[in-house]
Amino acid sequence: FLLGPNFLQPHRKCVEGEALSDAANKAGVRTKEELAKITEDATSTVYNAKGRYLPPCSSCKCVLDALNIKAKK
């Protein structure tokens, strides 16, 4: 693969977006700035049912980067 085997991997059912949405709804967040404030110093770690670390897909990585949330193994 020219860009690496996971560059355009099929998107799985991502939990990052669901977790951000739940947190935003619970906190009454309405803007990206409010979301960035409640996720300050946050990290994201996802494992599958077998305990294997799952790095964020390209879409989730873009969102996590925009909010300065670090994906952590």
Side-chain angles (χ1 to χ4, degrees), residues 39 41-45 53 56 64-65 67-73:
T39 58
D41 298 321
T43 59
S44 174
T45 305
Y53 171 71
L64 295 177
D65 288 349
L67 294 169
N68 292 317
I69 298 172
K70 306 295 181 231
K72 189 174 178 182
K73 199 171 192 180

Side-chain angles (χ1 to χ4, degrees), residues 2 4 11-12 15 20 22-23 32 36 41 43-44 47 50 54 57-58 65-66 71:
L2 182 61
H11 294 278
R12 57 194 172 269
V15 297
L20 284 169
D22 288 348
K32 178 188 168 196
D41 298 321
T43 59
S44 174
Y47 294 94
K50 294 181 180 181
L54 296 175
C57 70
S58 57
D65 288 349

Side-chain angles (χ1 to χ4, degrees), residues 4-27:
N6 294 323
F7 180 71
L8 291 175
Q9 67 184 356
H11 294 278
R12 57 194 172 269
K13 183 172 180 193
C14 301
V15 297
E16 294 92 341
E18 187 175 344
L20 284 169
S21 179
D22 288 348
N25 287 329
K26 287 177 185 174

Side-chain angles (χ1 to χ4, degrees), residues 24-50:
N25 287 329
K26 287 177 185 174
V29 167
R30 297 281 182 198
T31 67
K32 178 188 168 196
E33 291 76 20
E34 291 173 345
L35 184 57
K37 185 173 182 176
I38 70 163
T39 58
E40 194 172 328
D41 298 321
T43 59
S44 174
T45 305
V46 178
Y47 294 94
N48 69 9
K50 294 181 180 181

